[in-house]
Amino acid sequence: MEQKPTASTDLKVLPEANAEYGTKDYWQQRYLQEPDEVYDWFKTYADLKALFGRRIGSKDARILMLGCGNSTLSGEMYDDGYKDILNIDYSDVVIEQMRQRSRHQHMMRWEVMDVRELALEEGTVDVAIDKGTLDALMCEKGDVWEPSDELCKNVGRMVSEVDRVLASGGVFIWITFGQPHFRKRHLERDSWTVDVERLNNGGFDYFVYFATKPQRRYPH
């Protein structure tokens, strides 16, 4: 029987400074140190299943997992019936690890790709999901009330790329611990509407942002 990956608990993989979470080198080294482990930021699929069922709708949706890392999220969604999932990460190390780990999930796809420069056609994604990637890009030493121009530029590039590839009627789902007064401004676009749901299972508050594109109307 194939051994299941274990959850990462090694404090040695933590960065010396939070800003390192936003660097590719940090993640490459972390995944090399933990080739057989998984880690889920913020929430697991069990926590999100009901919410996804309401907001995603069809399990035939074309799903893009942004900065997938070694999370169990896409694998558990796949086993629950969501078969059209493209997982991307800029770490070639973790993409190969996850590709090998999910060999039994024959329709699952894994590609090395930067979330700020998506090699995808416009309007080809129904649901884009981010659980930790934007938050990693936002890690810096500065004031959270006044983020740096570089931070805003990086975050803006990612959000604009998601906007570009998202189809009519599609939704960008962002799971984060970031409160609306810090996070919502980064999602503001004329092309979609944004609403927020709070998740709390008796502990820390998490927030799920939904940026939903309107369904395109065609003249009769």
Side-chain angles (χ1 to χ4, degrees):
M1 181 180 292
E2 185 175 349
Q3 184 178 2
K4 285 190 174 183
T6 57
S8 171
T9 57
D10 189 353
L11 296 180
K12 293 179 181 178
V13 301
L14 296 179
E16 293 183 7
N18 283 344
E20 291 182 44
Y21 282 124
T23 68
K24 182 177 179 179
D25 286 345
Y26 167 73
W27 293 108
Q28 291 282 71
Q29 291 304 312
R30 175 165 174 162
Y31 295 134
L32 284 169
Q33 290 176 60
E34 299 189 316
D36 301 313
E37 298 186 356
V38 297
Y39 191 83
D40 273 295
W41 296 93
F42 310 143
K43 291 293 182 181
T44 65
Y45 182 54
D47 301 312
L48 300 165
K49 180 178 178 178
L51 190 65
F52 282 5
R54 285 193 287 108
R55 301 300 294 252
I56 294 177
S58 172
K59 289 188 175 180
D60 294 327
R62 298 167 294 178
I63 297 172
L64 175 64
M65 201 67 68
L66 297 153
C68 60
N70 56 5
S71 168
T72 63
L73 181 61
S74 60
E76 292 182 355
M77 288 182 68
Y78 186 99
D79 289 342
D80 196 35
Y82 298 94
K83 301 301 185 189
D84 192 348
I85 304 176
L86 171 59
N87 302 274
I88 66 167
D89 201 289
Y90 64 5
S91 169
D92 59 320
V93 174
V94 81
I95 287 294
E96 185 56 31
Q97 289 172 352
M98 296 302 287
R99 182 181 288 126
Q100 294 302 317
R101 192 175 293 169
S102 66
R103 288 193 304 271
H104 61 290
Q105 296 169 319
H106 303 297
M107 296 174 65
M108 189 79 86
R109 290 173 291 147
W110 306 89
E111 291 188 23
V112 178
M113 202 180 300
D114 192 319
V115 294
R116 295 162 295 188
E117 191 174 353
L118 298 175
L120 300 172
E121 295 296 323
E122 180 178 338
T124 54
V125 172
D126 298 314
V127 181
I129 300 174
D130 173 27
K131 189 163 68 75
T133 302
L134 269 174
D135 292 88
L137 291 178
M138 291 180 180
C139 287
E140 66 174 12
K141 294 179 181 179
D143 184 353
V144 294
W145 291 98
E146 295 292 339
S148 70
D149 291 342
E150 183 66 21
L151 182 153
C152 292
K153 179 181 177 182
N154 269 324
V155 170
R157 285 176 62 194
M158 175 177 167
V159 174
S160 292
E161 278 292 87
V162 173
D163 184 7
R164 181 182 65 81
V165 302
L166 207 60
S168 170
V171 60
F172 173 32
I173 303 175
W174 178 19
I175 301 102
T176 174
F177 62 82
Q179 298 174 343
H181 50 270
F182 294 123
R183 296 293 198 254
K184 195 172 180 181
R185 56 182 160 175
H186 294 290
L187 295 179
E188 291 176 352
R189 295 285 190 283
D190 293 334
S191 53
W192 55 33
T193 57
V194 179
D195 65 289
V196 187
E197 293 196 31
R198 185 194 302 259
L199 291 179
N200 188 313
N201 298 331
F204 197 76
D205 277 343
Y206 293 90
F207 300 88
V208 184
Y209 296 81
F210 300 91
T212 307
K213 285 198 167 184
Q215 195 72 46
R216 185 174 296 146
R217 297 180 181 274
Y218 295 95
H220 295 291

